[in-house]
C-alpha cells in the first residue's frame, strides 16, 4: 500500500477526535440552555427578585417589559398614573383659579359692583395663588414632556417630591387664604343680601355661563382649601408606588410631612381665632409637632423683620442657651459662672431672587441682610421676642479656646451675648454660620485700625 502524507489528507472532523467533539457540542448546548434560562429568569432591575415569568420562548419574553417582574411592572404603571393624576389635578385646580379671576373678580371690578376693599376681602390673595400655580404647573409639565422625549414612558425620571420642595413657599400662601376663608364667605353673604345687582350677577353667572358648570362663586372659592388638603393624599399614592431605592423617595416623604405640618398649623391658627371649621386632620407625631412650632416661629420672625417671604431664607433655627455677661472677665472665670436661659434662635438671611420661576433657587442671589431673632419659649400659647432682632452687620462674633463650648456675639456699642448648644459640635456650627454673615455684611470692616477689626483678627478665633 502507498503511504500518503498527512498534509494530503482532507480532514472532515474538527481535528480533536470524535468523542471530544461530541462532549464539546453537548457542553455548548447545555451552556446555551443555561443562558436562555438565566435570560428568562434574570433579576428584576427594580426590586432584585427573581420572580419573573418562566417563559422560555423568545416571542413571549419580548412581550414583557425588559428585566422587570410582574409586581414591579404593576408598580411602575401605578406610579405613572399617580404622577399624571397629580399634574392633571393641578391643571384643573389652576383652571378653577382662572375662572374665579376672569369670570367673577374682573367683571365685578369692571362693573363697579363692589369696592376694591370689598373685592380684597372676598377674594383674598387669589392672584398670589394663581401665580404660584402657573409656575408650579409649568415646571411639572416640563418634567413630564422631557421624560417622554427621552423615551421614559414610565415617567421614572420625574421627581414630584423634589419639585414640590422647591415650591414649598406656596404653603404659607395657602395658609393666608385658608385663614381668611371664613370672613370672606361671611362678607359675600352680607353683600349679596345688601346689593341687588350683585345678587342678580351671581345668579345669571351660575345659570347662563357654561364655563362655571352651574357652580356658584362659593364653590369656586373653596378650590384652594380642597387643593391643599389633597396634596398629602396624592403624594401618598406616589410614595406607595415608588420603590425606596428611587432617588425621589426621600423627597416625597419630606414633601408629605411638610404639607401635613402646615395643615396642622392652619387648624391651630383657626382655633386660636375662634373659627369652628378645620381642614382635614392628619395623625400627629413628635416630628410634625416640632415642625408646626417651627412654622409658627418663622411667621413671628418674618413679621418682626418685615421681609418678603420669597426673599427670605432660614439658614438655621433651634434651641440655644443664652447668657449676658456683666463684664468681659467671664472667660477667665469660665462659662460656669454665667446664668444661661433657654431661647429659640432663628438665623434669617435676606437675599435677592435669582429666578422668577423658582421660589427657592439653587443658586441664591447676593445677601442683603442677616439677622438673629431671639424668641422666648412659648408662654400662654404665644411666642414673645426677647428683644429686637440682632443685625449681624453690626455684630462681632468671636470665641476663645479656653471656652470652646461657647461663642460670644457683641453688638457694637450695645450688648454682649454668650451662646451655647447642648451639643458642642452644633455650637461650633452655629458659630461658623453666624460669623460668616457677620464678616460678609459688617460695614465696620472698612474702618482701618478700628477696635472691631482688632478683635476679629485675634489669633484666638476658631478656624
Amino acid at each position: 500500500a502507498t503511504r500518503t502524507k498527512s498534509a494530503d489528507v482532507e480532514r472532515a472532523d474538527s481535528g480533536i477526535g470524535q468523542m471530544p467533539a461530541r462532549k464539546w457540542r453537548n457542553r455548548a448546548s447545555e451552556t446555551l440552555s443555561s443562558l436562555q434560562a438565566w435570560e428568562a429568569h434574570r433579576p428584576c432591575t427594580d426590586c432584585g427578585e427573581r420572580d419573573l415569568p418562566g417563559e422560555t420562548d423568545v416571542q413571549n419574553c419580548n412581550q414583557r417589559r425588559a428585566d422587570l417582574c410582574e409586581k414591579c411592572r404593576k408598580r411602575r404603571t401605578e406610579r405613572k398614573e399617580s404622577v399624571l393624576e397629580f399634574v392633571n389635578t393641578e391643571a384643573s385646580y389652576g383652571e378653577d383659579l382662572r375662572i374665579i379671576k376672569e369670570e367673577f373678580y374682573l367683571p365685578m371690578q369692571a362693573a363697579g359692583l363692589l369696592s376694591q376693599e370689598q373685592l380684597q376681602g372676598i377674594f383674598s390673595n387669589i392672584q398670589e395663588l394663581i401665580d404660584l400655580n402657573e409656575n408650579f404647573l409649568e415646571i411639572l409639565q416640563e418634567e413630564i414632556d422631557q421624560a417622554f422625549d427621552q423615551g421614559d414612558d414610565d415617567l421614572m425620571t420625574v421627581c414630584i417630591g423634589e419639585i414640590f420642595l422647591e415650591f414649598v413657599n406656596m404653603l404659607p400662601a395657602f395658609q393666608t387664604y385658608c385663614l381668611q376663608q371664613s370672613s370672606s364667605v361671611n362678607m359675600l353673604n352680607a353683600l349679596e343680601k345688601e346689593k341687588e345687582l350683585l345678587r342678580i350677577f351671581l345668579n345669571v353667572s351660575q345659570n347662563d355661563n357654561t364655563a362655571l358648570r352651574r357652580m356658584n362663586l362659593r364653590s369656586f372659592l373653596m378650590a384652594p382649601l380642597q387643593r391643599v388638603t389633597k396634596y398629602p393624599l396624592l403624594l401618598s399614592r406616589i410614595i406607595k408606588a415608588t420603590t425606596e431605592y428611587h432617588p425621589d423617595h426621600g423627597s416625597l416623604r419630606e414633601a408629605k410631612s411638610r404639607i401635613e405640618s402646615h395643615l396642622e398649623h392652619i387648624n391651630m391658627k383657626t382655633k386660636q381665632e375662634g373659627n369652628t371649621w378645620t381642614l382635614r386632620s392628619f395623625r400627629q407625631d413628635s416630628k410634625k409637632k416640632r415642625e408646626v412650632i417651627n412654622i409658627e416661629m418663622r411667621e413671628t420672625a418674618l413679621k418682626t423683620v418685615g421681609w418678603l417671604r420669597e426673599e427670605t431664607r432660614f439658614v438655621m433655627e433651634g434651641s440655644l442657651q443664652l447668657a449676658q455677661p456683666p463684664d468681659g472677665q467671664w472667660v477667665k472665670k469660665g462659662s460656669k459662672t454665667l446664668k444661661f436661659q433657654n431661647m429659640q434662635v432663628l438665623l434669617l438671611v435676606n437675599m435677592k431672587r435669582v429666578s422668577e420661576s423658582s421660589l427657592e433657587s439653587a443658586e441664591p442671589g447676593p445677601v442683603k441682610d442677616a439677622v438673629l431673632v431671639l424668641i422666648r419659649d412659648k408662654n400662654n400659647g404665644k411666642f414673645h421676642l426677647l428683644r429686637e432682632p440682632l443685625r449681624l452687620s453690626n455684630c462681632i462674633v468671636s470665641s476663645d479656646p479656653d471656652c470652646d463650648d461657647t461663642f460670644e456675639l457683641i453688638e457694637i456699642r450695645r450688648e454682649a451675648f454668650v451662646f451655647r448648644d447642648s451639643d458642642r459640635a452644633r455650637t461650633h456650627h452655629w458659630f461658623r454660620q453666624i460669623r460668616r454673615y457677620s464678616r460678609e455684611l459688617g460695614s465696620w470692616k472698612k474702618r482701618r485700625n478700628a477696635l472691631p477689626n482688632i478683635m476679629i483678627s485675634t489669633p484666638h478665633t476658631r478656624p
Side-chain angles (χ1 to χ4, degrees):
T2 306
R3 298 177 64 87
T4 58
K5 299 180 180 180
S6 60
D8 297 334
V9 178
E10 183 179 356
R11 303 192 67 92
D13 59 8
S14 62
I16 60 176
Q18 188 174 6
M19 290 299 294
R22 187 180 298 112
K23 291 181 180 180
W24 179 85
R25 284 194 297 270
N26 292 338
R27 186 171 299 174
S29 178
E30 293 175 359
T31 303
L32 181 60
S33 300
S34 299
L35 288 174
Q36 291 176 345
W38 182 88
E39 181 70 22
H41 299 279
R42 69 174 63 183
C44 174
T45 56
D46 276 9
C47 65
E49 299 293 335
R50 292 180 177 269
D51 57 348
L52 299 179
E55 300 151 348
T56 56
D57 56 290
V58 177
Q59 182 178 1
N60 290 337
C61 286
N62 288 337
Q63 288 178 354
R64 66 177 175 85
R65 196 173 302 166
D67 304 337
L68 287 178
C69 65
E70 181 67 24
K71 181 179 179 181
C72 289
R73 290 205 307 273
K74 183 178 179 181
R75 178 187 293 160
R76 283 198 176 191
T77 301
E78 293 175 353
R79 186 181 189 279
K80 178 181 179 180
E81 294 174 351
S82 300
V83 169
L84 291 178
E85 180 186 12
F86 189 99
V87 178
N88 293 335
T89 53
E90 186 70 21
S92 300
Y93 160 66
E95 180 64 20
D96 288 343
L97 294 181
R98 186 195 64 79
I99 290 176
I100 293 175
K101 178 181 178 181
E102 297 183 2
E103 306 297 336
F104 289 105
Y105 181 89
L106 293 180
M108 291 164 65
Q109 184 185 47
L113 296 178
L114 298 177
S115 66
Q116 191 61 39
E117 182 179 355
Q118 291 170 335
L119 290 171
Q120 178 66 30
I122 293 175
F123 296 97
S124 187
N125 62 329
I126 195 69
Q127 185 59 51
E128 182 183 11
L129 294 177
I130 291 174
D131 295 338
L132 289 167
N133 168 261
E134 290 178 351
N135 293 334
F136 188 36
L137 186 60
E138 180 182 0
I139 299 299
L140 289 172
Q141 196 60 55
E142 286 179 359
E143 290 290 317
I144 297 292
D145 295 341
Q146 184 178 0
F148 282 131
D149 291 342
Q150 294 176 351
D152 178 18
D153 295 334
D154 294 327
L155 303 181
M156 294 299 291
T157 58
V158 177
C159 295
I160 296 293
E162 292 182 4
I163 301 174
F164 193 95
L165 291 178
E166 182 183 355
F167 283 85
V168 74
N169 269 353
M170 67 182 176
L171 299 181
F174 277 107
Q175 175 179 313
T176 300
Y177 186 90
C178 293
L179 292 179
Q180 296 182 9
Q181 177 64 17
S182 179
S183 59
S184 298
V185 173
N186 292 336
M187 178 180 290
L188 178 61
N189 293 336
L191 290 173
E192 191 174 3
K193 293 179 181 179
E194 177 184 342
K195 297 180 179 291
E196 184 179 1
L197 289 178
L198 175 63
R199 185 167 60 254
I200 293 174
F201 168 78
L202 294 177
N203 290 335
V204 171
S205 298
Q206 179 179 354
N207 296 325
D208 297 342
N209 191 340
T210 57
L212 303 187
R213 311 187 298 273
R214 301 190 69 83
M215 293 170 56
N216 57 30
L217 175 57
R218 293 174 186 80
S219 299
F220 282 101
L221 291 177
M222 291 295 293
L225 280 73
Q226 295 169 348
R227 184 58 185 171
V228 73
T229 54
K230 197 171 183 180
Y231 280 134
L233 304 177
L234 294 172
L235 291 171
S236 295
R237 293 177 187 174
I238 301 177
I239 293 172
K240 185 178 179 180
T242 302
T243 176
E244 60 180 338
Y245 304 109
H246 193 280
D248 196 40
H249 190 268
S251 297
L252 285 168
R253 289 193 172 277
E254 176 66 18
K256 180 174 178 288
S257 177
R258 295 286 290 273
I259 181 63
E260 289 179 356
S261 297
H262 270 273
L263 292 177
E264 293 295 345
H265 179 64
I266 293 173
N267 286 337
M268 181 188 68
K269 297 289 286 186
T270 56
K271 292 179 182 178
Q272 291 178 353
E273 296 179 5
N275 295 325
T276 56
W277 65 272
T278 58
L279 296 176
R280 176 183 172 87
S281 181
F282 295 87
R283 181 178 59 86
Q284 283 192 358
D285 53 30
S286 58
K287 182 179 179 181
K288 290 185 177 63
K289 186 176 181 180
R290 177 71 253 178
E291 180 62 24
V292 169
I293 295 175
N294 290 343
I295 294 171
E296 190 172 358
M297 288 195 302
R298 292 173 203 149
E299 287 187 347
T300 302
L302 270 179
K303 184 178 180 181
T304 302
V305 298
W307 296 346
L308 295 176
R309 184 186 299 120
E310 58 269 20
E311 295 182 356
T312 304
R313 186 161 65 94
F314 293 88
V315 180
M316 290 191 69
E317 56 189 29
S319 177
L320 282 178
Q321 294 180 347
L322 176 146
Q324 292 183 269
D327 52 39
Q329 302 299 319
W330 67 272
V331 176
K332 295 181 180 179
K333 301 176 183 178
S335 59
K336 294 182 179 180
T337 61
L338 298 176
K339 184 179 180 181
F340 286 91
Q341 58 178 323
N342 292 326
M343 194 70 53
Q344 299 295 332
V345 182
L346 294 91
L347 174 55
L348 284 70
V349 173
N350 189 10
M351 47 189 26
K352 296 180 180 178
R353 292 173 61 184
V354 174
S355 172
E356 293 296 329
S357 63
S358 175
L359 299 179
E360 289 188 0
S361 176
E363 297 181 359
V367 176
K368 297 189 294 184
D369 201 357
V371 299
L372 273 185
V373 178
L374 309 179
I375 301 178
R376 296 181 184 274
D377 281 342
K378 206 166 186 180
N379 186 19
N380 296 328
K382 293 183 179 181
F383 287 109
H384 298 280
L385 295 176
L386 174 68
R387 62 186 306 283
E388 66 273 11
L390 291 166
R391 299 199 173 273
L392 298 187
S393 57
N394 298 327
C395 296
I396 306 162
V397 186
S398 59
S399 65
D400 191 281
D402 295 333
C403 297
D404 62 348
D405 61 337
T406 62
F407 64 90
E408 186 174 19
L409 184 146
I410 301 176
E411 191 177 17
I412 299 175
R413 297 197 182 111
R414 295 194 66 181
E415 299 176 275
F417 300 89
V418 176
F419 293 95
R420 72 179 181 187
D421 193 280
S422 56
D423 180 63
R424 183 167 300 187
R426 187 163 173 81
T427 301
H428 294 179
H429 185 53
W430 273 100
F431 168 75
R432 288 191 296 268
Q433 290 288 345
I434 297 174
R435 183 182 61 173
R436 168 192 169 188
Y437 293 107
S438 173
R439 288 183 171 181
E440 287 182 4
L441 300 170
S443 58
W444 43 264
K445 293 189 299 182
K446 301 177 182 179
R447 299 183 299 171
R448 298 184 61 185
N449 300 324
L451 178 60
N453 287 25
I454 298 174
M455 295 181 66
I456 208 69
S457 302
T458 57
H460 300 293
T461 55
R462 264 193 207 104

